[in-house]
Each structure stands twice: as structure tokens, then as C-alpha cells.
Amino acid sequence: MTEVAPFQVARPRDVEAAIALCSGNAQSRYIAGGTDLMVNIRRGIRQPELLIDISGLDVLHAFEITDAGAHIGAGVTLAQLAADDGVRERYRAVAEAAAAIAGPGHRSVATVGGNLCLDTRCIYYNQSEWWRHANNYCLKNRGDTCHVAPQGKRCHAAFSGDLAPALMVLGAEIEILGAAGRRRIPLSDLYTENGRAHLRLSLGELILRVQLPGAPPPSAYAKVRLRGSIDFPLAGVAVSLAMAAGVVSAFRVALTGTNSRPFLLEGTESFLGRPLDEEALARLDKLVQKQVQPMRTTLASANYRRLAAAALARRLAARLAGLQGKT
């Protein structure tokens, strides 16, 4: 840890005031749980002049599940999400993802919005100040070279949030408010494949809530990590799958931990109307391996993370289809 640079803290009375503060100061950051941001501040990675505490804004804590769908405020904690009976019954992948994040203490304060906006990670970035200085920093922080791919022009730091893929396979949309007004987009549109700037949010924009449909297909989430708890995913996979008359009627796969963004797997529509047999699972394995792009951003090898992602996708799909011995 390094000496923390001085900063001020503001506690706005409402969302509009918070957005006005952030929009007017490029060196400000929103904070709620702070489980990721405060670590980066202590490491000298982030040095905001102003922290805008939004943890007390009631509108961000709204949480409701009805027949029409789920309304999840960005300030809802991960512990609350993981423990909710309605989420576990209807949106199991979301409950499984929330329960797998960090440790109980983190989940008690970490928020939905914070996990969706989690900073990207890399073994060359998430280090102490003296270590980063000794390596002449990196493209993501005060340097001009990505040490993962020195000849390239893009930062390859990986996105490691667990909630995003689980929400994506269920068709989640998010509502965003900023100085330019309100907009609603598919969650998948929030992200871009650039570890240095992976969020499509303008200065001051704030995620207000997540919306989920009322009757999604069955779903599941799993990840691999170095330790059995606390760690970020080396590869995380969410699957939603529905079967009708022995064939696939709905199928989505989303991944995290391997790329600079969480993403929906392309090509899953080719499985519709067909049985999910051994041949289909083999095709799924190849599809995942082809589309994930793990780089040397963690202590585990890129090839291990690629194979792990494919194996998780197969396993979850087989489980949701009620198959045995097909993983």
C-alpha cells in the first residue's frame, strides 16, 4: 500500500445532485460499497479528488420481483441478492453468481452497480505503487505499453465481474441516468473490448437499476478461480437453457474473466430445435474456445482459462438439460 492522496467526500441528497457533482469534476468517482475502488486508491492506482457517496440514496436500493419481472436497484447488495428466495427460484444464475463473489464481508456492502462497473484486472496493473513504478507502469495506468501484448495498441486487462454474464443470459437491461438524460440499454451494450476503457458510460452517468424479464429460461453460473473462495474468476460462465419436446428451445451462454468485457457467446441460435446431445456439447466446447480471448493477465495460463471456460459451458448446459455423464 502507498500513502493515500487527499480527497474530499460528498454525500448528495439525491441522484440528480450526485450526477451534477460527478459531471462537473472529471477527477471524481462514485462510491457505494467501495470494495474494489478503495483497494485501488490505497495502491495509488486511483487518485480521485472527490468521492461521491451514493450509498444512502434510496432510489438505488429499490428491489422488487413481480410476475412482470425483476427490478433491482444498483445499490442492492450482493448479499441481499444471493439470499433472496425469488432470485434463487427464478433467476438462479444471478443468485449463484452473487453468492460466489469475494467473501461474506465483501458481499454485505458490495453492490450490484459496483460489480457491473468493476474495473478490469491484470497482474501488471493490480500491484503496489513501487512495483508498477519499477516496471514503468502500463498502458492502463500512466504508461504507454501493455506488458501483456507489447506490440499492440490496446490494453488487455480482463473484466472479472461475476454478475454481468448471469444477467446477460437472462436478457437483462439497465437504466442509466446522466447529465444528458435517461437511457435504457441491454446490459451487453454497456461493455467494450478495451481494458483501459471498458464501460460505455459518459462522465457522470450512473446505473440506476437492472430490469429482468418475468419468465426467463432455467439458468446457472459457475467459475474457476485460484482459491475456492474470495478470488476473482479466471473464467466464469453463465448459461440459460430451455428444452421442449427433447430439443433446445432457448439457449444463451455468457462469459467473464477471459476478455476485457463480459460477452454473450455468438452462434448459440444454431442449437435451437435440435437435441442437446454429445455432438452438440462438443460443438459448444469449440465455440467457446474460439471466442474467448484470455491473455497473460492472471497467474493462470491463457490456455487453461480457455479450456476451463469451455468445460464449464459444457457442464452447465448438460446440467440444465438434465443430462448425466456428458461433461
Side-chain angles (χ1 to χ4, degrees):
M1 299 298 178
T2 189
E3 182 178 351
V4 176
F7 58 82
Q8 294 183 318
V9 177
R11 294 184 174 86
R13 65 186 182 280
D14 53 37
V15 172
E16 289 74 18
I19 290 170
L21 280 171
C22 193
S23 300
N25 185 347
Q27 302 305 314
S28 64
R29 293 295 301 270
Y30 292 123
I31 187 168
T35 54
D36 188 56
L37 176 60
M38 289 308 301
V39 174
N40 283 348
I41 288 176
R42 289 183 178 279
R43 283 177 167 165
I45 294 172
R46 298 288 184 181
Q47 296 180 327
E49 297 175 354
L50 174 67
L51 290 182
I52 303 168
D53 184 356
I54 57 175
S55 62
L57 301 181
D58 290 342
V59 68
L60 299 180
H61 294 275
F63 184 19
E64 183 181 25
I65 299 178
T66 67
D67 291 343
H71 167 117
I72 305 169
V76 172
T77 67
L78 303 181
Q80 185 180 359
L81 201 62
D84 188 84
D85 289 339
V87 175
R88 289 202 301 263
E89 292 170 6
R90 199 184 303 181
Y91 310 105
R92 177 165 291 275
V94 176
E96 290 177 339
I101 296 169
H106 302 94
R107 294 192 293 270
S108 68
V109 294
T111 64
V112 170
N115 196 257
L116 294 181
C117 295
L118 196 68
D119 196 8
T120 52
R121 301 183 63 79
C122 178
I123 53 174
Y124 296 98
Y125 172 70
N126 297 94
Q127 301 287 350
S128 63
E129 170 63 20
W130 70 263
W131 193 96
R132 288 180 292 110
H133 175 74
N135 284 275
N136 200 28
Y137 299 100
C138 71
L139 185 61
K140 184 171 171 62
N141 182 258
R142 287 188 275 176
D144 55 13
T145 301
C146 176
H147 300 302
V148 171
Q151 304 305 315
K153 301 296 183 182
R154 177 172 73 80
C155 167
H156 290 272
F159 180 81
S160 300
D162 292 274
L163 279 185
L167 291 166
M168 284 179 181
V169 297
L170 297 172
E173 295 186 344
I174 55 172
E175 189 172 338
I176 300 168
L177 185 64
R182 191 179 303 255
R183 59 192 179 106
R184 182 166 166 167
I185 61 171
L187 175 59
S188 56
D189 289 352
L190 176 64
Y191 303 101
T192 183
E193 192 67 62
N194 184 346
R196 192 178 184 183
H198 67 296
L199 299 175
R200 290 190 175 101
L201 290 174
S202 299
L203 178 64
E205 282 196 315
L206 178 65
I207 297 176
L208 295 181
R209 61 184 61 89
V210 178
Q211 298 285 153
L212 287 169
S219 63
Y221 175 80
K223 68 179 178 180
V224 292
R225 46 189 167 183
L226 289 175
R227 295 173 290 183
S229 63
I230 298 178
D231 278 344
F232 291 94
L234 299 172
V237 180
V239 175
S240 66
L241 173 70
M243 304 289 292
V247 299
V248 177
S249 59
F251 190 31
R252 281 182 176 175
V253 178
L255 300 106
T256 187
T258 59
N259 293 45
S260 292
R261 64 184 175 104
F263 69 97
L264 283 165
L265 189 71
E266 296 180 0
T268 53
E269 66 278 356
S270 67
F271 293 83
L272 300 181
R274 300 181 180 183
L276 194 71
D277 52 17
E278 183 61 36
E279 185 273 335
L281 291 174
R283 285 196 296 116
L284 175 61
D285 188 297
K286 292 180 180 179
L287 204 60
V288 172
Q289 289 199 51
K290 183 178 180 180
Q291 293 184 39
V292 296
Q293 298 174 347
M295 300 288 284
R296 190 166 51 93
T297 55
T298 73
L299 295 176
S301 73
N303 190 52
Y304 169 78
R305 290 157 65 200
R306 178 181 293 106
L307 294 175
L312 285 176
R314 282 183 64 125
R315 187 177 305 163
L316 292 178
R319 187 178 101 193
L320 290 170
L323 303 178
Q324 300 296 326
K326 299 294 186 181
T327 60

